[in-house]
Amino acid sequence: MFTRLLRNVPPFRRIVGVRSYLKSSPAGYSVTETPEAEPSAPVVVTTVPGPKSLALKQELDPIQNTDAIQFFVDYKKSYGNYIADVDGNFLLDLYTQIASVPIGYNHPRMTQVLKDPDNLSTFVNRPALGIFPPSDFVQTLADSLLSVAPPGMRQVITMGCGACSIENGMKAAFMAYRRNERGGKPPSKEELDSCLINQAPGCPDLSVLSFKNAFHGRTMGALALTHTKWNQKLDCPSPDWPIASFPQLKYPLQDFVSENSTEEKRCLAQVEDLIAQYRKKGKPVACVITEPLQCEGGDNFASPQFFQGLQDICKKNSIYLLIDEVQTGAGATGKFWLHEHFNLREPPDIVTFSKKMMLGGLYFRDHMRPTEGYRIMNTWLGDPSKVVMLREVINVIKEDSLLQRTADTGAYLLQVLEEAQKKNPSLLSKARGIGAIAAVDFPDGPTRDKALAKMRELGVHLGTCGTATLRLRPTLTLEKKHVDIFADRFNQVIKQLS
């Protein structure tokens, strides 16, 4: 969507040692137990998964379903942008634990955080943060989460994962909606009593509007907002909540300006219509939730004007806007939050985060703040040790200018996809991306999956999303040399498939 970002970025300061990670030996390659640098290129010595991965999968299978497992990882030997499996393969990782590795594997600065004696008690003890926070928690939040808060937001609550962040974001929206309806008065005794048996008026029939092809998590509330794959939702009951169409843009964008504008207006009109319908049904919409970029659903972009229009609709109808930045936050797009690219007239009401942020949580504006204790609560409310790790991630991002670097390298990566698409229009389409988020479509799912498997054979690990999309989610420390390795392998695979 945003195809040309910052360029002419200063050279990236090296963060690893000079000794080669892979060392030559008569038998081939041996790997140091404490790597100080990445491999210079992928190393593939077996199939992936290899025999050791398959044996471990067979060993695990009696305990739990293993159908989703791709291969077993040697995390001690993984480093930087390379993931090592138990069979001795070293793959350039452009999927990074489903977009959740911010600055690479075994980053020395992260290792130092664990060795710092001042952090020892933070890792040894895991407190119930909502009731017994540690003495340094306020300062730790100021140095980490609040230092990168979305513009205009100063309230934050930490959580354990993305899905529980969404769950509590919805709760905050429902609570604020009802406080507004009460005009600031306390709840009635009837409300207090009826909520305990899941009845109105204490449990009102409110709804949340979400979008087709959205993914917000696998817990029950988040699952009601998720509309991607059947294996996420089958057999689980779900409330009757409205689902609007998300724009399906045509590419290249510059050739379809009018058509894409019409499509976005159609979707916004549908949002307004659904809000009116559900108000008439007695299930008023309290919150609209959207990803700033639909990731799991196929890397579906929309323009800044679409999100500006969505916010206008929410304001007009006194509905709260929740932007789910679980996969897109932490600098993945060249700004710390993707919605910063949208030039919204005011901040969203709630922004959720997780993945590259090391833990989950939600930022929210002052009017969304719960007015009583225990309303947004669980035992741990995240983990202060993860906040300490996030603080160091943020330090590295700032010191090494990784936002600029991500924008620059991401533009270079997108250029590779666009050039491959130009040469192979029957095989590739809709090359798109921003920063460390990139994607390209194949004609169908089986062809995409074949390309994925062939890339792995050549030592590059990628992901998928949607029905036929190849998904790239590298770290913020990706360099152009890594993109060149990807380009070489990708062009080989495309040539084989053509």
Side-chain angles (χ1 to χ4, degrees):
M1 186 69 196
F2 306 89
T3 57
R4 297 293 178 264
L5 298 174
L6 300 175
R7 294 188 179 275
N8 301 319
V9 180
F12 179 59
R13 182 167 59 82
R14 298 278 311 166
I15 58 174
V16 296
V18 297
R19 286 188 297 168
S20 175
Y21 184 13
L22 294 178
K23 296 183 176 180
S24 296
S25 72
Y29 291 100
S30 64
V31 183
T32 62
E33 287 301 319
T34 54
E36 294 184 357
E38 295 179 340
S40 59
V43 177
V44 181
V45 295
T46 73
T47 57
V48 182
K52 290 183 180 179
S53 272
L54 294 174
L56 286 170
K57 184 174 181 178
Q58 188 175 7
E59 187 177 335
L60 180 61
D61 192 68
I63 303 170
Q64 60 182 239
N65 186 295
T66 59
D67 290 351
I69 291 176
Q70 297 183 17
F71 55 87
F72 282 76
V73 179
D74 189 333
Y75 287 104
K76 291 182 180 179
K77 296 177 181 176
S78 301
Y79 197 87
N81 291 281
Y82 281 82
I83 188 169
D85 74 359
V86 294
D87 287 281
N89 301 297
F90 290 81
L91 310 179
L92 176 61
D93 191 357
L94 302 182
Y95 191 38
T96 60
Q97 310 297 317
I98 320 177
S100 65
V101 179
I103 56 175
Y105 296 102
N106 288 309
H107 194 292
R109 291 280 290 275
M110 303 305 293
T111 303
Q112 194 58 45
V113 168
L114 298 176
K115 294 179 179 179
D116 187 341
D118 289 341
N119 295 329
L120 182 61
S121 68
T122 304
F123 286 93
V124 170
N125 304 292
R126 187 174 184 183
L129 281 174
I131 309 173
F132 308 110
S135 59
D136 61 353
F137 194 54
V138 176
Q139 188 60 51
T140 302
L141 288 177
D143 294 341
S144 57
L145 286 160
L146 293 177
S147 75
V148 293
M153 308 188 87
R154 61 181 185 179
Q155 304 278 336
V156 67
I157 297 177
T158 54
M159 290 288 160
C161 68
C164 60
S165 305
I166 295 296
E167 296 283 352
N168 286 284
M170 285 192 289
K171 286 171 59 179
F174 291 143
M175 292 171 191
Y177 189 89
R178 290 292 289 137
R179 281 198 305 272
N180 187 53
E181 286 192 326
R182 295 187 192 105
K185 296 179 180 178
S188 66
K189 185 177 186 304
E190 183 184 9
E191 288 174 310
L192 297 177
D193 291 341
S194 61
C195 74
L196 300 179
I197 54 172
N198 301 343
Q199 298 293 319
C203 289
D205 203 358
L206 302 175
S207 61
V208 177
L209 186 147
S210 56
F211 289 90
K212 295 176 183 178
N213 297 312
F215 181 88
H216 296 289
R218 292 178 171 85
T219 53
M220 288 301 292
L223 200 59
L225 312 171
T226 292
H227 316 293
T228 47
K229 298 181 176 69
W230 66 263
N231 56 13
Q232 299 157 353
K233 295 179 67 78
L234 181 67
D235 302 327
C236 297
S238 191
D240 175 20
W241 287 353
I243 309 169
S245 298
F246 193 84
Q248 298 297 302
L249 303 185
K250 295 182 177 181
Y251 289 79
L253 296 175
Q254 65 271 17
D255 293 346
F256 297 98
V257 174
S258 176
E259 293 89 339
N260 287 337
S261 177
T262 298
E263 167 69 358
E264 292 189 335
K265 289 176 182 177
R266 179 188 72 84
C267 294
L268 289 173
Q270 191 178 108
V271 168
E272 290 203 89
D273 184 54
L274 286 167
I275 290 171
Q277 286 182 36
Y278 273 72
R279 186 183 296 119
K280 290 180 181 178
K281 290 173 64 172
K283 298 181 178 183
V285 175
C287 177
V288 170
I289 183 170
T290 182
E291 300 159 273
L293 151 66
Q294 288 190 326
C295 295
E296 176 72 15
D299 270 19
N300 304 314
F301 284 87
S303 73
Q305 290 73 32
F306 172 80
F307 292 99
Q308 292 167 12
L310 189 63
Q311 186 177 57
D312 290 345
I313 291 171
C314 289
K315 292 294 292 182
K316 183 174 70 174
N317 290 278
S318 299
I319 291 170
Y320 301 113
L321 176 62
L322 191 165
I323 295 187
D324 177 1
E325 292 251 23
V326 165
Q327 189 165 149
T328 55
T333 65
K335 292 182 181 290
F336 212 90
W337 305 101
L338 176 50
H339 77 266
E340 291 185 75
H341 291 279
F342 297 159
N343 297 315
L344 297 176
R345 293 170 180 81
E346 59 183 66
D349 297 292
I350 304 170
V351 174
T352 53
F353 60 85
S354 190
K355 289 191 181 287
K356 281 185 172 67
M357 293 290 285
M358 310 302 291
L359 79 167
L362 55 151
Y363 295 100
F364 47 96
R365 295 174 65 185
D366 291 352
H367 61 271
M368 305 302 296
R369 175 180 171 134
T371 53
E372 307 90 8
Y374 292 93
R375 299 302 306 276
I376 303 290
M377 174 66 71
N378 57 51
T379 298
W380 285 325
L381 283 179
D383 182 347
S385 69
K386 298 299 184 186
V387 182
V388 169
M389 295 173 73
L390 172 63
R391 180 177 61 192
E392 194 63 17
V393 167
I394 293 170
N395 288 339
V396 173
I397 289 173
K398 292 177 178 178
E399 292 171 20
D400 293 336
S401 301
L402 292 189
L403 296 185
Q404 284 187 314
R405 162 120 167 246
T406 298
D408 183 62
T409 309
Y412 186 59
L413 174 60
L414 181 56
Q415 183 180 347
V416 167
L417 294 177
E418 290 175 334
E419 289 176 355
Q421 174 182 288
K422 186 176 181 180
K423 295 176 182 177
N424 303 274
S426 63
L427 194 61
L428 301 173
S429 63
K430 297 178 64 176
R432 55 205 184 275
I434 178 172
I437 291 176
V440 68
D441 283 8
F442 284 79
D444 51 59
T447 305
R448 184 268 318 272
D449 295 344
K450 185 180 294 185
L452 183 81
K454 287 183 176 293
M455 287 295 290
R456 188 177 292 170
E457 291 174 6
L458 295 175
V460 179
H461 180 46
L462 301 165
T464 64
C465 60
T467 57
T469 300
L470 191 68
R471 169 166 51 168
L472 289 80
R473 294 294 189 271
T475 71
L476 306 183
T477 60
L478 191 78
E479 298 183 57
K480 290 184 177 180
K481 67 179 183 181
H482 301 116
V483 177
D484 289 337
I485 291 171
F486 163 76
D488 174 68
R489 272 66 169 177
F490 189 63
N491 289 327
Q492 288 184 49
V493 168
I494 297 305
K495 186 176 181 179
Q496 292 177 36
L497 295 176
S498 296

